[in-house]
Amino acid sequence: ETGVTQTPRHLVMGMTNKKSLKCEQHLGHNAMYWYKQSAKKPLELMFVYNFKEQTENNSVPSRFSPECPNSSHLFLHLHTLQPEDSALYLCASSQDLTLVNSPLHFGNGTRLTVT
Amino acid sequence: AQKITQTQPGMFVQEKEAVTLDCTYDTSDQSYGLFWYKQPSSGEMIFLIYQGSYDEQNATEGRYSLNFQKARKSANLVISASQLGDSAMYFCAMREGRGNTDKLIFGTGTRLQVFP
C-alpha cells in the first residue's frame, strides 16, 4: 500500500462521544499534518509534526488532541465536539519540513459530522 | 491580509479547450514555493505542479503549466486540452521560507466544470 491512508472515511458522532481519526503514510516522509476543511473556507492548518515532535499548534481548541507515535502514524483524538466542528479532516505528509519545494501529499480525508 | 487569492469561485470550460485558473499571492519573502492541488469529489487533495520563486522557467507537468509572473505575484494554472475528469476543485497554495516552511497556506479554491 502506498500514499497516505486515513480512516475512517466517514464519522458521525454526538457531542459527548470520544472518537479518534487515524492517518498512516507509506512514503517515508518525516513531517505529518492535520488540516480542517470547512465549506466555503480555505483549508486550515491545525497541527504539524516533524520526526514525531509537534512543531505547530495553530490555536486549535483542546477538544482536538493530536498524537504522533512515530513518523508514519498520526492520530487526532476528538472529545466533546461542537456541531461547528463538522468538516472534512485531511491528513498530509511531506518529505522535509524545511524545504519550500517539498509538496504535501494528502489522504482522502475523514468526513466528520457532529450531531 | 489574504496570502493566497483565487478570485474565480467557478469556471466552465468545454472539453478539449484550455482554461486558466487565477492565483495571486502576497509575501515579503524572497524564497517561497507555489503549489497547485486538485480536489475531486472524493476529497483527496492531489498535488499537480510546483513553482519555486527562483525558478526562471515556468513549471510544466503534462497538460498542466504554471504561468508565473513574479513581479505581479501571480501563479496561474493553465490546463490544456481539458478532459471531463478535470472537473474538480483546484487550490493554489504557498509555502514561505525563513522559518515558515512548515505552513502550506491555501486559497479558497476554484471549482472547474468541464462540459462535453
Side-chain angles (χ1 to χ4, degrees):
Chain A
E1 191 173 355
T2 59
V4 181
T5 305
Q6 287 186 246
T7 55
R9 290 297 308 275
H10 301 272
L11 178 61
V12 179
M13 59 186 288
M15 290 192 286
T16 58
N17 291 160
K18 289 185 181 181
K19 296 286 184 184
S20 295
L21 309 185
K22 180 183 176 182
C23 177
E24 184 174 0
Q25 58 98 358
H26 305 272
L27 300 168
H29 288 168
N30 300 317
M32 296 190 78
Y33 310 73
W34 280 115
Y35 277 85
K36 175 184 178 183
Q37 186 177 29
S38 305
K40 310 218 171 147
K41 291 175 70 175
L43 270 77
E44 301 171 61
L45 178 64
M46 300 177 72
F47 301 103
V48 182
Y49 279 82
N50 191 39
F51 290 100
K52 306 188 302 177
E53 300 298 319
Q54 188 178 121
T55 61
E56 179 75 24
N57 176 339
N58 200 25
S59 303
V60 180
S62 60
R63 58 185 183 270
F64 295 91
S65 174
E67 179 190 359
C68 188
N70 53 62
S71 293
S72 299
H73 294 85
L74 184 64
F75 296 89
L76 188 63
H77 304 299
L78 317 170
H79 64 97
T80 59
L81 295 191
Q82 305 298 311
E84 60 265 28
D85 296 323
S86 298
L88 180 68
Y89 288 84
L90 288 161
C91 174
S93 69
S94 69
Q95 176 62 47
D96 195 303
L97 200 64
T98 61
L99 297 178
V100 292
N101 65 349
S102 181
L104 271 62
H105 296 264
F106 285 84
N108 286 333
T110 294
R111 174 74 60 189
L112 174 67
T113 303
V114 181
T115 60
Chain B
Q2 194 88 316
K3 289 274 190 179
I4 296 284
T5 303
Q6 294 181 255
T7 57
Q8 306 154 315
M11 290 284 285
F12 288 90
V13 65
Q14 190 165 30
E15 202 176 6
K16 299 179 187 176
E17 297 294 311
V19 63
T20 298
L21 307 183
D22 294 342
C23 173
T24 57
Y25 59 91
D26 181 31
T27 182
S28 56
D29 282 1
Q30 296 301 308
S31 174
Y32 52 90
L34 297 158
F35 303 79
W36 276 92
Y37 283 83
K38 171 185 179 181
Q39 187 179 39
S41 56
S42 60
E44 182 184 4
M45 296 283 282
I46 301 167
F47 166 63
L48 296 178
I49 195 167
Y50 165 81
Q51 179 83 44
S53 58
Y54 293 119
D55 295 342
E56 296 185 354
Q57 303 281 342
N58 285 342
T60 60
E61 288 288 346
R63 294 186 298 111
Y64 304 109
S65 60
L66 205 151
N67 184 0
F68 180 46
Q69 298 190 36
K70 195 170 181 177
R72 297 178 61 184
K73 293 189 176 178
S74 74
N76 299 339
L77 178 70
V78 180
I79 305 175
S80 61
S82 297
Q83 301 172 357
L84 295 177
D86 293 335
S87 295
M89 284 291 291
Y90 288 81
F91 292 92
C92 180
M94 177 174 65
R95 181 177 245 180
E96 295 174 293
R98 280 201 281 171
N100 286 321
T101 52
D102 59 344
K103 298 179 179 58
L104 191 63
I105 303 164
F106 286 82
T108 51
T110 296
R111 180 170 298 282
L112 176 67
Q113 295 189 58
V114 181
F115 59 94

